[in-house]
Amino acid sequence: MSLSTQGGGCPFGFGSADTATGTAAGGSPASPPGELRARGHHGYEPFQMKDPFPAYAALRAEEPVMYDERIGYWVVTRYDDVKAVFDDWETFSSENAQAPVRKRGPQATQIMDDGGFTAYSGLSARIPPEHTRIRGIVQKAFTPRRFKVLEPFIRANVAERLDAMLARGRDTGTDHGEIVRDLAYEVPTITILTLIGEDLARIDDYKRWSDSRAAMTWGDLTDEEQIPHAHHLVEYWQACLALVEKAHREGGDNLVADLVRAQQDGAEISDHEIASVCYSLLFAGHETTTTLISNALRLLAADASTWQQLVEDPKRIPAAIDEVLRYSGSIVAWRRKALKDAEIGGVSIPAGAGVLLVMGSANRDESKFEDPETFDITRPNAREHLSFGFGIHYCLGNMLAKLQAKIAVEEATAKIPHLRVDDPESIEFRENLSFRVPLAVPVSWED
């Protein structure tokens, strides 16, 4: 299994504008690879995720709306400004939400064109009225009933993986495990593949394809580095088209079949749009939830007192998950495009400019959250975080993402009451513009 480039805002972002060419948001080419890392603004480095929060704080204090020529975006870091932009979809379009950060090279473009790659956004890069139409149809299929059916399956899956981790520890006499590899890597993928009716034997395929999608869309790749990822995206899109064809042919009790039946009953949604929803869901629905589960256990088990509170009172876990989302969300930045001359925080933004909304900074804004740099599972307003976005594009799958994280923590506190994170400060994060993904979360426990 590959554990490379896992992505992480909306765990069900429903979108890809991978058909875009990837020029900088304002229309000029993005800086070439390497230059993106060469200079900083108040310590802010767009792709560095080890500890971006001091730089975020400096930006909020000194230049809360700042143009970064390295990536071609206006970087917005204060809570009220980020929320206002999310809420004003008529001025700040989502059409660039998932366009490639770097321009796609000629070889990758040829590969994807020859492979019939025409994937477009499920929802997050669409705008009304198209967005309204598709979201209404998907929302009717994406029901709490499906979550309720999945819950015991998710719980059994989590329990099985935790038991296996404990058994390996006993067999080796080490009492050590690794949360990403042993738990978080597969659980959300199995959930999503089950939800859409895909063969669970394809877990590694979808992980590989998702790695490539994250790298091609939000990474800083050379033209040569893009080539294998382009092949993977063609495979990924063809698999999504095949799922829709299968639903037409065989039906079934899954989300794709529900959307096909809705189409047959008169709902205005095309096969291409259903496949695009799959393309988005299969990425966003598991990659960011993998990160959410990893971050939840990374933060909650790093402090013995916090972990003990949850062991003794599991009813605290849902609030703790909201604080995880505030303090260390899977997605720390998301994109918008100004459709007309506008202002953000008193700064003039020209029409056509790209805007990078840094939710990871907004969620630690001192004007909104008291003592924001402290991780506090009793925080009364933690649910007001912006990690799922805000407004018409608010994450449609937030409940399923939080459910999986809650179950993971419930099972872990029950089975491993003395779980501890080994050296939390040494954990590394993948370089990426938008996703803050821990590469590994080593843990240990006492019998």
Side-chain angles (χ1 to χ4, degrees), residues 15 35 37 48 55 77 112 150 154 169 205-206 238 248 302 354 369 396 416 420 424 430 434:
E35 285 187 23
R37 303 185 183 94
Q48 297 295 323
T77 49
M112 295 170 77
L150 283 170
I154 296 168
D205 287 339
Y206 281 99
Q238 293 302 323
H248 275 289
F369 301 102
L396 193 60
I416 322 175
R420 297 290 178 269
R430 190 166 303 283
S434 290

Side-chain angles (χ1 to χ4, degrees), residues 430-443:
R430 190 166 303 283
E431 291 187 5
N432 195 277
L433 182 70
S434 290
F435 301 131
R436 188 164 185 261
V437 183
L439 300 183
V441 181
V443 292

Side-chain angles (χ1 to χ4, degrees), residues 19-36:
T19 50
T21 60
T23 56
S28 59
S31 300
E35 285 187 23
L36 292 172

Side-chain angles (χ1 to χ4, degrees), residues 14 31 46 49 75 82 96 101 129 154 168 206 218-219 231 239 248 265 292 306 315 320 328 339 353 375 417 423 429:
F14 288 113
S31 300
M49 291 293 165
V75 179
V82 171
N96 68 335
V101 174
I154 296 168
R168 280 191 295 273
Y206 281 99
W218 295 279
H231 285 294
H248 275 289
D265 291 340
L292 175 57
T306 298
K315 291 180 181 178
S328 188
L339 297 181
F375 181 69
D423 195 7
F429 295 80

Side-chain angles (χ1 to χ4, degrees), residues 31 35-41 44-46 68-70:
S31 300
E35 285 187 23
L36 292 172
R37 303 185 183 94
R39 302 184 309 279
H41 293 267
Y44 172 66
E45 292 294 336
D68 192 328
E69 72 284 349
R70 299 168 298 178

